[in-house]
Amino acid sequence: MGFFYFDWTIIIVIPAMLFALYAQSKVKSTYNKYSAVRNMRGYTAREVARRILDENGLNDVQIEHISGNLTDHFDPKSNVIRLSDSVDNSTSVAAIGVAAHEVGHAIQHATNYAPVKIRTALVPVTNFGSRISTMLIMIGLIVAGFSQSGDTGFIIAIIGLLAYCLVAVFQFVTLPVEFNASNRALKTLENMGFLYDEEVTQAKKVLSAAALTYVAALAATLLTILRLFLIIMRSTGRNRRN
């Protein structure tokens, strides 16, 4: 008899863990590379963000500084774009790409971009589902352990798993939101003449690397769902039935 129990299902999520590590490394290396490349027109990221906002009639959207590295985001509640230490007054191609991306989110909200509305509606439901999912799965497995048939425990655990699936739904809806914001940013940077063609290509590499982290997060969640399902099936005895 062994001294410990090895749960083989952990193997399922290893590819996602490796993918996530790769994505994070890709973002860091790509951003660091192009944060050292100054745009030839000499614009700062804040200047570019302000001009794109004004060009789209979003004069009411403010731009603020926020501490940290790549903590940039658009806050729809406050109607504010916050640019991080490494982006705010930087003239790098990478910083301008990131700032324009956040402006893309502001434009999405202003134009009622459908995926943004769906994602916003999913936030409270997803938060609730993620909070109760683990508890329900654990309760289900415990009940199944004390039950003769395990049916009740199985149902409770599956409800918990379905609640966790809301996280995947939210992440799936997030993908088009992020891709669209990046596409808007790159087209605007080119059409308004902020960056030359070669610089637009460099900015695209930065934003593509960032988008990869969202894909990695979704992959990790999907594989976790598969793993939890297999654990539930095994622990409730479903995989031993005909």
Side-chain angles (χ1 to χ4, degrees):
M1 184 175 181
F3 292 98
F4 64 92
Y5 172 73
F6 174 72
D7 180 10
W8 68 268
T9 61
I10 190 67
I11 297 174
I12 295 174
V13 298
I14 289 178
M17 294 168 60
L18 295 176
F19 185 20
L21 290 173
Y22 167 76
Q24 290 296 332
S25 175
K26 184 69 174 177
V27 170
K28 184 177 181 180
S29 62
T30 305
Y31 184 82
N32 287 342
K33 178 179 180 179
Y34 294 110
S35 63
V37 179
R38 183 178 182 273
N39 77 88
M40 288 183 278
R41 296 186 185 276
Y43 291 113
T44 67
R46 179 180 282 256
E47 288 174 339
V48 170
R50 183 72 270 164
R51 287 187 58 179
I52 298 176
L53 287 170
D54 293 344
E55 181 69 19
N56 286 273
L58 300 180
N59 311 79
D60 57 329
V61 178
Q62 301 301 308
I63 301 176
E64 298 178 353
H65 172 263
I66 187 172
S67 60
N69 182 38
L70 295 181
T71 51
D72 314 85
H73 64 277
F74 169 64
D75 181 356
K77 293 183 178 180
S78 302
N79 209 27
V80 170
I81 289 176
R82 298 189 175 93
L83 301 179
S84 65
D85 294 330
S86 59
V87 172
D88 195 8
N89 288 310
S90 173
T91 58
S92 74
V93 171
I96 288 177
V98 171
H101 174 88
E102 298 309 328
V103 174
H105 284 311
I107 296 173
Q108 288 175 337
H109 280 269
T111 56
N112 292 316
Y113 181 57
V116 167
K117 296 176 69 175
I118 296 172
R119 187 177 70 168
T120 300
L122 284 172
V123 169
V125 179
T126 302
N127 288 339
F128 176 74
S130 62
R131 283 197 301 268
I132 68 169
S133 60
T134 302
M135 179 182 66
L136 287 176
I137 292 173
M138 292 299 296
I139 291 174
L141 296 183
I142 292 172
V143 170
F146 288 95
S147 175
Q148 187 70 25
S149 65
D151 289 344
T152 301
F154 174 75
I155 293 172
I156 295 173
I158 287 297
I159 292 175
L161 182 60
L162 291 175
Y164 185 74
C165 286
L166 291 171
V167 175
V169 174
F170 179 82
Q171 292 173 330
F172 183 78
V173 174
T174 294
L175 292 182
V177 173
E178 295 300 327
F179 292 155
N180 179 264
S182 291
N183 289 335
R184 289 174 187 265
L186 294 170
K187 288 180 180 179
T188 301
L189 291 175
E190 183 176 19
N191 294 338
M192 292 185 67
F194 291 116
L195 299 179
Y196 289 102
D197 290 345
E198 181 181 353
E199 295 173 322
V200 171
T201 300
Q202 294 169 342
K204 182 178 181 179
K205 290 180 180 179
V206 173
L207 297 181
S208 296
L212 196 62
T213 61
Y214 293 97
V215 177
L218 175 59
T221 299
L222 291 175
L223 289 179
T224 299
I225 290 172
L226 174 59
R227 183 192 179 203
L228 290 173
F229 177 72
L230 293 176
I231 290 174
I232 291 171
M233 292 291 287
R234 180 188 63 199
S235 301
T236 58
R238 316 305 283 195
N239 58 355
R240 295 191 297 271
R241 300 185 180 186
N242 296 325

